[in-house]
Amino acid sequence: MIQLTNVTYSYPRAETPALHDLSLQIPAGQFCAVIGANGAGKSTLCATLAGFVPHFYRGKLSGTAKVAGIDIAGSSLAELAGTVGLVFSNPFNQITGARFTVREEVAFGLENMGVPPAEMAPRIDEMLRFARLSEQADQSPYALSGGQQQRLAIASVLVMRPKVLVLDEPTSQLDPIGSREVFSVLRDLAATDEATVFLAEQKLEWVAAFADRVLVLHQGRLVADGPPAEILASPTLSQYGLEPTRYTQAARAALGAGFRPQHPDLPVTLEQAVEFFR
Amino acid sequence: MSSTPFSLYIPRDSGMHRLHPLTKLALVGFALILGLFLPGDWLTYLAFVLVILPLAAWAGILPRFLPAVLKTALPIVVSLFLVQGLFWPGGTPIFHLGPLSLKQEGVTFAIRSAGRFIMVISSFLLLTFTTRPDGLMLALSRHGVPNSIAYVMLATLQIVPRFQAKANTILDAQRSRGLETEGNLFIRLRALFPLIQPLLLGSIVDIEERAIALEVRAFGRAGPKTSLLMLHDTPAQRVVRWLLLLASLAIIGWRVYLGLAA
């Protein structure tokens, strides 16, 4: 579904590339998370998958990037909209500002795609239920909390039925409750197996909980790629400016203090930690 | 924040509200033409009473409409009478007030200008009170106004409160670091400069992100668009719109003819 071959990209006037010789294949239905320190290239990678690199930010892209069979460099943002959905950090700036209610806000993308109104209503209702915003359907998008606005942004993009959903640190500007609301929607999405999701995220506990696969970016290079249990428990994580999950840290501390678990695998989720310390 | 923070729209279930946005635009445009082009000093007031007020009453918004018109128009109307009445060059004095005198010509001019001003203000308020901005923009974009222009007009309505909130946040942040923002005019003006840069830079970032969000939602896509919002139009309304347009043109023509004849 996502296919990157030797992708290198530099922002205009930048001396070093933001992405460096990246090759990557993500099959349909996979929930893939990318982690990395600030400036590692996560956002740039997200922007590339959604076509904003190079079509919005300009700059120099080499190698080939394909999403759902569409060559990113050879297409336009208008063509990619609806195929790739992008959600980013600031919930407020993702509200179009041209619609009165939450329901109409979700409709915006469908209207632009020319979906007949009779077909819109059920799709919107279904999406509002999924994002748990049915009760807010007739409120102003600006009356919502940050967590609700971010779920609205996700619903507004998902309702267009994109082949790939790209989320660039969707909870970095939310409070813990708002973050949990957003992650619970993402967890449902991960459970369906239909959606191909690409999530850039700093909160490793959540990544561990539902990603099928974790990528580590460091200075624009892909330095690790594998299942969450393996990647997140790896001792090399700190070299890339990342802090292991608190479960892994607790387990390491316990091992250091002489604790001998029945299963030696370091835990990265709460459930695994319970198993580890049993 | 209210549920409709970016609009003066007053929801009512009235015949006026149910009219197609373009019909309302035509009605209000006609009222505007009456206000600006009717000859004489008092005809515009008559138009206000015979056209604007009945429409506002039909819409069921009179209790909010009248105070709004009054509040908006009063400062200008009062200053018109003071400035034009007292400082009209030459002119016939009606009575003296110390060194000042009220001039006949100034008062006449003020009456005429105030009438026009009230017509402009009240027709604009009537439209915004009874018309959802998104409905109006939808109607306009279906009649050839580019989507991007319709969007900018809609979004601007609510960027203003957003801009104010942002400015207040920045001011608070700077005040908490000891910047003086209160006091005489000079101090207030000086406090503006450190505000402008972060406000502008922040807004540019906002605009960039907003542009990305719009692209993600297929805003730039060519081809026909649909709308969840339904606009109801009738053949009768179409006829009325044409008649209003013709009547407006007739009034303008009549005025131009009067002007040329005179």
Side-chain angles (χ1 to χ4, degrees), chain A residues 93 96-97 105 111 115 140 142, chain B residues 3 151 158 206 217 226 228:
Chain A
N93 285 348
T96 60
E105 179 70 22
E111 295 175 336
V115 175
S140 161
Y142 289 95
Chain B
S3 60
Y151 173 79
Q158 43 117 18
D206 283 352
R217 312 275 285 280
T226 50
L228 190 65

Side-chain angles (χ1 to χ4, degrees), chain B:
Chain B
M1 206 176 262
S2 80
S3 60
T4 54
F6 56 94
S7 164
L8 296 171
Y9 177 68
I10 305 172
R12 290 274 187 284
D13 190 25
S14 81
M16 175 78 179
H17 280 74
R18 279 194 296 274
L19 286 181
H20 190 273
L22 287 185
T23 309
K24 281 183 264 193
L25 191 65
L27 271 172
V28 162
F30 176 68
L32 201 64
I33 298 289
L34 283 180
L36 292 176
F37 289 93
L38 276 182
D41 306 330
W42 297 101
L43 273 181
T44 42
Y45 293 92
L46 197 66
F48 177 73
V49 173
L50 291 184
V51 179
I52 299 281
L53 287 187
L55 285 176
W58 185 33
I61 56 165
L62 264 186
R64 284 176 67 180
F65 178 71
L66 280 180
V69 171
L70 200 68
K71 258 191 264 178
T72 322
L74 202 61
I76 303 280
V77 170
V78 167
S79 56
L80 262 175
F81 275 89
L82 285 180
V83 172
Q84 300 298 342
L86 295 178
F87 301 106
W88 190 265
T92 329
I94 308 174
F95 67 88
H96 295 275
L97 213 146
L100 298 169
S101 59
L102 202 63
K103 317 285 198 320
Q104 172 70 49
E105 289 83 352
V107 171
T108 309
F109 179 82
I111 288 173
R112 194 185 304 152
S113 312
R116 290 188 180 156
F117 184 72
I118 289 170
M119 274 307 265
V120 171
I121 287 293
S122 60
S123 43
F124 175 75
L125 285 178
L126 184 64
L127 183 69
T128 48
F129 279 4
T130 60
T131 313
R132 287 179 49 150
D134 49 350
L136 181 60
M137 289 309 148
L138 177 63
L140 287 177
S141 59
R142 288 206 179 140
H143 284 80
V145 172
N147 279 307
S148 48
I149 290 181
Y151 173 79
V152 167
M153 286 160 82
L154 267 183
T156 307
L157 289 173
Q158 43 117 18
I159 275 175
V160 175
R162 169 74 177 143
F163 212 65
Q164 279 170 342
K166 211 182 177 78
N168 282 332
T169 310
I170 295 169
L171 265 183
D172 284 344
Q174 292 176 341
R175 216 176 283 154
S176 69
R177 286 163 178 77
L179 184 81
E180 262 188 290
T181 57
E182 266 146 40
N184 62 35
L185 191 66
F186 180 68
I187 293 177
R188 279 160 190 262
L189 272 179
R190 211 173 39 187
L192 271 182
F193 290 101
L195 173 69
I196 288 169
Q197 195 195 3
L199 188 61
L200 280 185
L201 287 182
S203 299
I204 288 169
V205 171
D206 283 352
I207 288 166
E208 185 178 286
E209 291 200 342
R210 184 64 65 76
I212 289 175
L214 285 178
E215 288 293 351
V216 168
R217 312 275 285 280
F219 187 70
R221 199 185 194 92
K225 300 188 183 222
T226 50
S227 173
L228 190 65
L229 185 70
M230 291 292 186
L231 298 177
H232 298 286
D233 203 3
T234 57
Q237 287 193 52
R238 267 189 284 269
V239 171
V240 167
R241 289 203 292 269
W242 277 109
L243 288 178
L244 286 168
L245 185 68
L246 289 177
S248 303
L249 289 175
I251 290 172
I252 296 174
W254 178 44
R255 271 301 277 184
V256 170
Y257 172 76
L258 281 185
L260 290 178

